[in-house]
Amino acid sequence: TLTVTTANHWMTAWLGLELNMISILPVIAKEKHPRSTEAATKYFLTQATASALMLFASTINAWQTGSWNITQLNNKLSCILMIAALAMKMGAAPTHFWLPEVMQGATLATALLITTWQKIAPITLLYMISNHTEPIITLSIGLLSILVGGWGGFNQTQLRKMMAYSSIAHLGWTMTVISIAPNIALTNIIIYMIMSAPFFMLLMTTASKTLQTMTTTWTHTPTTTIILMLLLLSMAGLPPLTGFTPKLLILDNLVTHKLTLMAATMALLSLLSLTFYLRTTYLLTSTAPPTTTQSITTWRLKPHQNQITAILAPIALFNITILPTLLT
């Protein structure tokens, strides 16, 4: 990932992405289970295809313009191909099909890696070529991702698949604004990572994998339940929480660039995501599980996860850090 983020040459960036992909394959396939192997295979095939497409795009650009520099992607065709390749790498619609499947086959810790760390490299490259991107393409990919992310998460009972669709929807918000205001797109994806990291860590602590097992957390970890509820609402983008800020900034920018209809459509489509976040929140906090725990020490959390969660959760929940930008 660091190789990609510090690269100037397309070949170096491609090499970094390949190393990254090869390194995470054993992490996904670590569990000795056919589902994990299947997830690793799917991940490998999609990422290898995207890498090949990326290499093809950069080669065409070098052939036409004589430059291998990442920021000089002047050829229109290679720019379109590059956006397609990076969207596939990240899991943005319409090349999103691998993401829910891979996350369902992986452990919660690996799913956290895939939704956060693995997005850094493609997003960096997208940020570097943002001034050459066609706004109509990024807007279309973004809108489709928000739609797919909302609709896909609707019927999910598996938390990892639900979070995969949530990731697709957040990527959609990032993609729509990447060609208009790249800094805001970057802010959006960073805030999403800050929100999803404590969420996954708390799921790891409580070992919750489905909505059904999530309902029983209230009996033995009330604090975790409250933090999970707030994190879900923050991801949904409800006002007092951090998740609201990037959405507001994105909509504000779209309206400024006379894309009011686009902004209105995105705001309406985000209601799809809000529905499944609210359903999960309701199950988590407002339904009483049928059994109560007998042990009195089950609330104790593992200290190392607890510390990271304690650092990230307040940032993910309170708008204080970003408030000055709204006031100016």
Side-chain angles (χ1 to χ4, degrees):
T1 304
L2 294 173
T3 308
V4 178
T5 50
T6 53
N8 279 320
H9 195 286
W10 275 118
M11 289 300 276
T12 322
W14 174 79
L15 189 72
L17 283 167
E18 286 294 294
L19 284 170
N20 182 323
M21 183 251 297
I22 291 163
S23 310
I24 202 167
L25 288 175
V27 181
I28 300 171
K30 187 179 66 146
E31 296 292 304
K32 301 289 183 287
H33 194 276
R35 185 168 276 178
S36 302
T37 316
E38 186 188 331
T41 311
K42 282 177 179 170
Y43 186 83
F44 169 73
L45 291 172
T46 47
Q47 297 294 317
T49 309
S51 287
L53 194 57
M54 189 184 141
L55 200 59
F56 179 54
S58 54
T59 310
I60 287 178
N61 186 63
W63 177 42
Q64 293 291 328
T65 63
S67 169
W68 280 99
N69 197 312
I70 291 177
T71 51
Q72 292 172 4
L73 196 70
N74 300 321
N75 188 301
K76 214 168 190 177
L77 173 65
S78 52
C79 195
I80 293 165
L81 287 172
M82 190 60 72
I83 294 168
L86 292 173
M88 195 179 201
K89 279 237 168 253
M90 291 185 293
T95 49
H96 65 280
F97 296 98
W98 63 272
L99 188 62
E101 299 295 323
V102 169
M103 277 181 68
Q104 186 54 35
T107 58
L108 283 166
T110 313
L112 169 62
L113 262 183
I114 293 167
T115 47
T116 55
W117 188 260
Q118 292 302 97
K119 300 261 190 288
I120 295 172
I123 281 284
T124 310
L125 291 174
L126 208 62
Y127 180 79
M128 288 166 84
I129 63 163
S130 58
N131 58 334
H132 294 295
T133 52
E134 286 283 325
I136 188 74
I137 294 169
T138 52
L139 287 169
S140 308
I141 290 174
L143 201 61
L144 191 61
S145 295
I146 297 169
L147 184 66
V148 165
W151 252 328
F154 238 62
N155 283 334
Q156 296 301 336
T157 53
Q158 296 285 340
L159 288 171
R160 281 167 296 181
K161 271 196 175 176
M162 195 186 85
M163 286 307 290
Y165 283 109
S166 158
S167 172
I168 294 164
H170 277 90
L171 271 175
W173 282 86
T174 306
M175 288 296 286
T176 44
V177 84
I178 194 94
S179 56
I180 298 163
N183 291 344
I184 291 173
L186 217 56
T187 310
N188 180 50
I189 203 79
I190 290 165
I191 288 174
Y192 166 69
M193 287 173 188
I194 290 169
M195 288 188 296
S196 62
F199 184 80
F200 271 107
M201 279 168 186
L202 289 172
L203 289 187
M204 280 187 258
T205 311
T206 55
S208 305
K209 289 188 179 71
T210 60
L211 289 178
Q212 192 179 4
T213 50
M214 215 178 179
T215 53
T216 57
T217 54
W218 178 252
T219 49
H220 56 91
T221 48
T223 320
T224 301
T225 313
I226 293 163
I227 297 171
L228 279 172
M229 175 195 81
L230 289 168
L231 285 168
L232 279 164
L233 295 177
S234 184
M235 276 187 228
L238 293 182
L241 306 164
T242 308
F244 171 68
T245 312
K247 284 193 165 75
L248 179 65
L249 292 171
I250 289 168
L251 293 178
D252 178 48
N253 252 283
L254 289 173
V255 173
T256 311
H257 285 80
K258 305 278 189 293
L259 291 162
T260 317
L261 186 65
M262 181 79 185
T265 314
M266 283 166 67
L268 286 171
L269 288 177
S270 68
L271 293 176
L272 291 169
S273 301
L274 179 66
T275 310
F276 68 77
Y277 287 129
L278 283 180
R279 183 190 61 179
T280 314
T281 309
Y282 174 74
L283 277 172
L284 193 63
T285 53
S286 307
T287 52
T291 53
T292 50
T293 179
Q294 299 301 312
S295 171
I296 54 167
T297 56
T298 48
W299 58 268
R300 290 182 186 166
L301 303 178
K302 294 188 184 75
H304 64 284
Q305 282 179 355
N306 205 359
Q307 286 161 1
I308 303 166
T309 312
I311 295 163
L312 290 175
I315 307 170
L317 297 179
F318 303 116
N319 242 331
I320 303 157
T321 47
I322 316 137
L323 212 57
T325 51
L326 288 178
L327 297 172
T328 49

